[in-house]
């Protein structure tokens, strides 16, 4: 069971999925957790999620942790399926909260926020990583090949 969790195919495709998803998600997690990239930090992020968006505190914290630490794990290809699952769940919920805005991103500033097209791409990337694992150049691949369970 544990070996299948780390197993992956020797392919570069998951590497590019991991890198792309991590590059896009890490700044969002860093904004929420550390206040980097113009973000507000953990306390204000938790306040918004719990008091304004009315998410349970445990799920709000899991979303922030998934974005920040999950993106780091994806870069390394470490616990790829778990990291992708956390990010996928977070982005699926985020996309759902944007459903009233519409599909398209707000390129020209003429809508009341961002649409959910970005979320669809991120969720699909995450699902692919859950199914196929970390691929080539991942710690998961090394673990699967070198450790016996």
């Amino acid at each position: 069971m544990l070996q299948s969790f780390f197993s992956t195919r020797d392919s570069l495709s998951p590497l590019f999925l991991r890198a792309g998803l991590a590059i896009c998600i890490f700044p969002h997690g860093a904004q929420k957790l550390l206040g980097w990239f113009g973000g507000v930090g953990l306390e204000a992020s938790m306040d918004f999620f719990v008091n304004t968006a009315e998410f349970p505190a445990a799920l709000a914290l899991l979303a922030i942790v998934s974005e920040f630490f999950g993106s780091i794990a994806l870069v390394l290809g470490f616990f790829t399926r778990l990291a992708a699952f956390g990010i996928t769940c977070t982005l699926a919920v985020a996309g759902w909260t944007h459903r009233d805005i519409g599909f398209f991103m707000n390129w020209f500033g003429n809508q009341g926020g961002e649409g959910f097209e970005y979320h669809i791409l991120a969720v699909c990337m995450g699902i692919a990583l859950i199914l196929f694992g970390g691929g080539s150049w991942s710690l998961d691949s090394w673990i699967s090949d070198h450790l016996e369970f």
Side-chain angles (χ1 to χ4, degrees), residues 10-19 129 133-136:
D10 189 23
S11 170
L12 291 176
S13 296
L15 171 65
F16 290 107
L17 290 170
R18 289 189 289 117
L129 289 169
S136 299

Side-chain angles (χ1 to χ4, degrees), residues 1-76:
M1 169 81 175
L2 192 54
Q3 186 161 6
S4 64
F5 177 77
F6 290 105
S7 69
T8 186
R9 296 183 180 141
D10 189 23
S11 170
L12 291 176
S13 296
L15 171 65
F16 290 107
L17 290 170
R18 289 189 289 117
L21 190 56
I23 288 167
C24 288
I25 299 302
F26 178 79
H28 292 281
Q31 284 179 317
K32 293 174 186 83
L33 185 66
L34 304 173
W36 294 359
F37 306 108
V40 296
L42 181 60
E43 187 175 336
S45 295
M46 287 296 293
D47 181 61
F48 171 80
F49 283 135
V50 173
N51 297 317
T52 303
E54 298 181 347
F55 289 131
L59 294 180
L61 185 60
L62 274 174
I64 294 168
V65 166
S66 291
E67 285 185 357
F68 184 78
F69 291 107
S71 59
I72 294 169
L74 287 182
V75 167
L76 300 172

Side-chain angles (χ1 to χ4, degrees), residues 71-119:
S71 59
I72 294 169
L74 287 182
V75 167
L76 300 172
F78 186 57
F79 286 97
T80 301
R81 287 183 169 90
L82 179 62
F85 178 76
I87 290 170
T88 299
C89 291
T90 299
L91 270 289
V93 171
W96 182 255
T97 66
H98 289 232
R99 71 190 181 281
D100 293 337
I101 297 166
F103 179 78
F104 293 102
M105 300 293 289
N106 193 14
W107 291 105
F108 304 107
N110 56 2
Q111 42 189 72
E114 301 294 339
F116 54 83
E117 65 179 312
Y118 168 82
H119 303 90

